[in-house]
Each structure stands twice: as structure tokens, then as C-alpha cells.
Amino acid sequence: MDVLTQPVLVLNATYVPVAIRTVKDAVILLILRKAELIKDEKGLFIRSEKLKLATPRIILLTDYYKVPKRKHKLSRENIFLRDDHECVYCKRKLPSSRLTLDHVIPKSRWDEIPREKKPKDYHTWENLVTACRDCNSKKGNKLLQELKWDMPENRSTNKRRFPQFSVSTQLVEKFGWADYIHS
């Protein structure tokens, strides 16, 4: 892989990750003094006739960059991300392959619930949660109060921390970003 196309983690002035850019983009920001070098790749340099720079891995923007609010697409993986890959019922953290989506109010029971006590629609952020296979099987089409289970809290995207972008564990480990990417 060409060094100039490798990824660099970009932090805003408050050290919040806001983007992943290429080494080439990061070098330009550093030369223009729009960013400061936070971490570089030891022993790997970018050279030109008049310049020798360590390859950046993490840069900090010198001006504050407000992270734009994003409307997140309702998807299986985004629900897992929102719930931090944790079953909302038994609190076990599991890999995606061992998780399922659960509708808190099952479709077969939807019409029994008064309008003011349920989300606007069946398939929404508020009605979908991450559940392990065991808990989802136990729950089946029952309502939480029938099982004497508590209602999971803070499930909507605006109440729970939701990543601005997701970064693979492999990239985090390979380029040393662990101190700045919080899972």
C-alpha cells in the first residue's frame, strides 16, 4: 500500500475524532498549519527535495471543527452500535454473530398497546433493541411486563452515544489509534 494513501485519524480541537483522511491530506494540513501532529509512524518518512516528514498517524485540527449531527440509518449494525453490542436484557457483550434484533413490542401484540404507550411505528429506533439469542428466545412474543423484565433505557439515537463513524478494530490496532477511538 502506498504510504500517501494510508489512513490518518483526524481529531478536532477538543480531541474528538471527526474523520479519517489520507496521509497526503494530513501532510497538506500540517504544512498549511491547519493541523498539528499528535502521533507519527516511527521510522517511516515522506521525503521530497526540501522536506523530510514523519508519516502522520493522528493529527489535531488547529481550529475547532463542529461535528455535524447525522441522521443515522436504521439498520441491524447501527442498532448493535447504539447498544454497544450488548444485550439490553442480560447486559452481556457479544459479537454481532451472536446477537439478534428484538422488537420490544412484538408485531403480534402491537394493536393491544394504547397509542400513547408505544412508539409511532413498529419498526423504529425506539422499538428495536439488541438482544442475545437466549433472551430473544425467552421473550418470544411476550411483553416485558409479562416477563417482569425492565424496559431498556436510552435506546434512541439522540439519548445514547452513537459513533460519528465506525472504525474497525484492525485499523485502530494497526495505526495506534486506541487512545482516541472509544468503543
Side-chain angles (χ1 to χ4, degrees), residues 9-148:
L9 182 64
V10 180
L11 309 173
N12 71 8
T14 58
Y15 288 81
V16 173
V18 293
I20 296 174
R21 302 293 294 267
T22 64
V23 167
K24 180 181 176 182
D25 291 343
V27 167
I28 291 169
L29 290 169
L30 291 167
I31 290 171
L32 294 174
R33 300 191 189 286
K34 292 186 179 215
E36 297 173 13
L37 183 65
I38 297 295
K39 184 174 185 178
D40 60 20
E41 182 75 31
K42 301 293 180 216
L44 186 58
F45 297 95
I46 300 162
R47 299 179 202 317
S48 74
E49 239 178 79
K50 300 177 182 179
L51 193 62
K52 179 181 174 184
L53 288 174
T55 302
R57 288 296 171 217
I58 302 173
I59 61 171
L60 176 73
L61 298 174
T62 53
D63 290 327
Y64 180 76
Y65 173 82
K66 185 177 178 189
V67 180
K69 294 225 184 246
R70 295 185 183 181
K71 183 168 171 94
H72 299 286
K73 180 182 172 193
L74 181 61
S75 70
R76 175 183 174 88
E77 191 54 38
N78 281 344
I79 295 288
F80 291 169
L81 283 170
R82 180 199 66 191
D83 295 341
D84 201 22
H85 287 80
E86 179 181 279
C87 174
V88 297
Y89 302 123
C90 70
K91 306 297 184 209
R92 285 188 301 162
K93 252 189 156 169
L94 298 164
S96 297
S97 61
R98 299 201 37 221
L99 295 171
T100 62
L101 288 183
D102 179 53
H103 288 84
V104 178
I105 302 171
K107 190 166 193 162
S108 63
R109 308 290 297 275
W110 188 255
D111 292 335
E112 297 174 30
I113 309 296
R115 186 182 321 161
E116 65 277 359
K117 293 195 176 202
K118 63 184 177 187
K120 190 175 180 179
D121 198 10
Y122 166 72
H123 200 72
T124 60
W125 286 101
E126 294 76 24
N127 197 42
L128 283 167
V129 296
T130 301
C132 69
R133 294 177 194 278
D134 292 340
C135 288
N136 205 347
S137 292
K138 284 178 198 168
K139 182 176 171 290
N141 74 337
K142 295 179 183 74
L143 299 174
L144 297 180
Q145 59 266 31
E146 294 171 341
L147 296 163
K148 296 183 174 48

Side-chain angles (χ1 to χ4, degrees), residues 133-174:
R133 294 177 194 278
D134 292 340
C135 288
N136 205 347
S137 292
K138 284 178 198 168
K139 182 176 171 290
N141 74 337
K142 295 179 183 74
L143 299 174
L144 297 180
Q145 59 266 31
E146 294 171 341
L147 296 163
K148 296 183 174 48
W149 288 2
D150 292 328
M151 175 62 98
E153 295 178 21
N154 298 328
R155 291 181 329 276
S156 73
T157 56
N158 58 359
K159 291 181 186 171
R160 209 161 175 165
R161 188 181 75 75
F162 198 92
Q164 286 298 317
F165 57 89
S166 42
V167 181
S168 74
T169 306
Q170 185 181 10
L171 276 180
V172 170
E173 290 172 2
K174 182 176 182 177

